[in-house]
Amino acid sequence: MNNRVVSNRGRNGVVGTQNRRNLVRAQAAKKPKQRNIFEGKRPWVELVDGKPVNGPDLSCVVDGVKFPNPFVIGSGPPGTNYHVMKKAFDEGWGGVIAKTVTLDSSKVINVTPRYARMKSSSNQKEVIGWENIELVSDRPFEKMMAEFKRLKDEYPDRVLIASIMEEYNKDAWEELIGRCEECGVDIFELNFSCPHGMPERRMGAAMGQDCDLLEEVCGWVNDAANIPVWAKMTPNITDITNPGKVALDAGLEGLAAINTIQSVMGINLDSLRPEPCVEGYSTPGGYSSKAVKPIALAKVMSLATMINEKYEGKKSLSGIGGVETGMDAAEFLLLGCDTVQVCTGVMIHGYPLVQNLCAEVQEFMVKHDFKSIDEFRGKSLPFFTSHTHLVQLQKEAQERKKAAKSGLKSDAEWTGDGFTSETESMVSN
């Protein structure tokens, strides 16, 4: 951590005086009335400053930063500017990760169209896969810094996370960190995982797949940062725990996984061109939405196991990948995640989705009599093992079953109460 102090509040409220912030906050626009966007088809709860007005407590403390609920806007289009991030806070998201910023946005040039969808064959309204070829933020760095500061002035107790990415340049990383900290952000998420765009500059996944490069950059960041830092891991690698361990060994507080999976959405069989199609051409992009959840859960399970074994569970983990319901989120939490990020789900359903997510997790907690997230976080992780062990477990179970069916050895062993079951134990078919 290198002189980084993590308190119960992290960096919440570090910029300006509380009186000034209260004044700015009071002058902010009135929050919109919340509503169930699924019109009663899914559970719903009202959120006030991110906290449910009733039901089990969903708050959590991660790396010293308090979240009113574990749901965080994942870095991407839902965090592109002040207006959409304000909307996220007003609707109740526990935290917001802004779209990835770099010092020089002039090098970032997006194209349109840049998305492609995969729909269910049985229901053309249901999106099951989503590909994007979108780059990081193309907005001026100074503009994004001003909006970070404005958000923290208006929402001093809400968690704002800066997603940052740079080239292999120590000075650039240090400047980026210092400028963002001046705006009062609470956590950094390092984008080592964007699967497309600017690999020639060794950015994103190109950096996250190179453990030597990753180790050096994480060291720079760890030395420069005064707030918690998460490294966002790429799934486009054989063993995700290798770069994960490199990042944590460098002193970072936590990991986030997964980013999108490199993909080609498909070929248009009329035009014979790939999708999304820009002037007749395309490029591999990042795949997300509910279809990636099983892959995300496997990667998260591996990282959580590594964190427990090598760091005694003292590093944090933010889960990402295909979350659209509270039940999806509960699975990530059961595998050891501290927070759960949603990006594509918000693009499909809208910012009010968080109210349904919270209500559905609360229903799950009531069903199992859990009073807090800590009571079930990681509870399913011990039930993963090797295939060899599965074979051993099944063999032992079969032997126990066979022994139970062995029958009585003598007439003296018959009992009155167990007569029928004792008879059954000696039947061969």
Side-chain angles (χ1 to χ4, degrees), residues 79-90:
T80 50
N81 60 49
Y82 163 82
H83 300 289
V84 297
M85 289 188 279
K86 171 181 168 56
K87 173 70 172 175
F89 283 140
D90 288 345

Side-chain angles (χ1 to χ4, degrees), residues 8 55 67 82 105 112 122 142-143 146 161 164 184 199 209 231 236 240 242 279-280 305 322 331 343-344 370 374 410:
N8 285 337
F67 292 76
Y82 163 82
S105 63
T112 300
S122 60
E142 296 297 337
K143 183 68 173 177
I161 300 171
I164 59 176
Q209 293 165 335
N236 303 300
I240 197 171
N242 289 334
E279 306 303 330
T305 300
E331 294 180 69
C343 181
T344 308
F370 294 131
D374 282 342
S410 70

Side-chain angles (χ1 to χ4, degrees), residues 377-398:
R377 185 170 57 81
K379 202 171 184 67
S380 297
L381 203 56
F383 299 104
F384 285 91
T385 186
S386 67
H387 192 275
T388 299
H389 189 215
L390 290 180
V391 172
Q392 178 187 342
L393 290 171
Q394 189 167 68
K395 182 179 179 181
E396 292 172 352
Q398 290 170 340

Side-chain angles (χ1 to χ4, degrees), residues 175-317:
E175 181 181 354
L176 188 55
I177 289 164
R179 294 293 306 279
C180 288
E181 285 192 1
E182 289 173 1
C183 300
V185 299
D186 302 288
I187 297 171
F188 284 119
E189 183 181 82
L190 311 182
N191 186 343
F192 292 136
S193 48
C194 182
H196 53 273
M198 299 183 288
E200 69 282 356
R201 294 167 61 190
R202 294 200 289 182
M203 298 173 77
M207 185 172 287
Q209 293 165 335
D210 185 332
C211 285
D212 292 334
L213 199 62
L214 187 68
E215 180 179 22
E216 190 168 9
V217 174
C218 286
W220 298 341
V221 172
N222 185 64
D223 290 342
N226 296 293
I227 59 176
V229 183
W230 302 345
K232 189 172 184 178
M233 299 285 97
T234 175
N236 303 300
I237 193 167
T238 303
D239 186 350
I240 197 171
T241 64
N242 289 334
K245 186 176 183 298
V246 166
L248 296 180
D249 282 347
L252 305 191
E253 281 71 31
L255 303 174
I258 59 173
N259 206 326
T260 53
I261 300 168
Q262 191 171 48
S263 63
V264 171
M265 180 56 78
I267 306 298
N268 185 308
L269 297 182
D270 293 322
S271 67
L272 311 186
R273 302 301 178 99
E275 300 286 1
C277 193
V278 180
E279 306 303 330
Y281 292 83
S282 192
T283 188
Y287 193 54
S288 61
S289 196
K290 61 180 69 176
V292 310
K293 192 184 77 170
I295 299 169
L297 289 172
K299 300 294 186 181
V300 161
M301 180 274 294
S302 296
L303 290 172
T305 300
M306 180 266 289
I307 287 172
N308 282 347
E309 292 177 351
K310 297 186 178 297
Y311 305 95
E312 300 180 341
K314 295 179 181 179
K315 298 290 187 175
S316 67
L317 180 59

Side-chain angles (χ1 to χ4, degrees), residues 43-45 54-58 70-71 325-337 340 355-381 383:
W44 177 86
V45 66
N54 51 52
D57 178 26
L58 297 181
F71 294 106
T325 71
M327 293 73 78
D328 296 331
E331 294 180 69
F332 281 88
L333 295 168
L334 285 164
L335 288 182
C337 291
V340 179
Q355 297 142 30
N356 304 98
L357 298 175
C358 286
E360 288 162 346
V361 169
Q362 286 184 312
E363 281 198 350
F364 164 79
M365 293 172 67
V366 170
K367 176 181 177 181
H368 293 278
D369 196 30
F370 294 131
K371 301 297 188 296
S372 69
I373 289 175
D374 282 342
E375 286 188 13
F376 68 92
R377 185 170 57 81
K379 202 171 184 67
S380 297
L381 203 56
F383 299 104

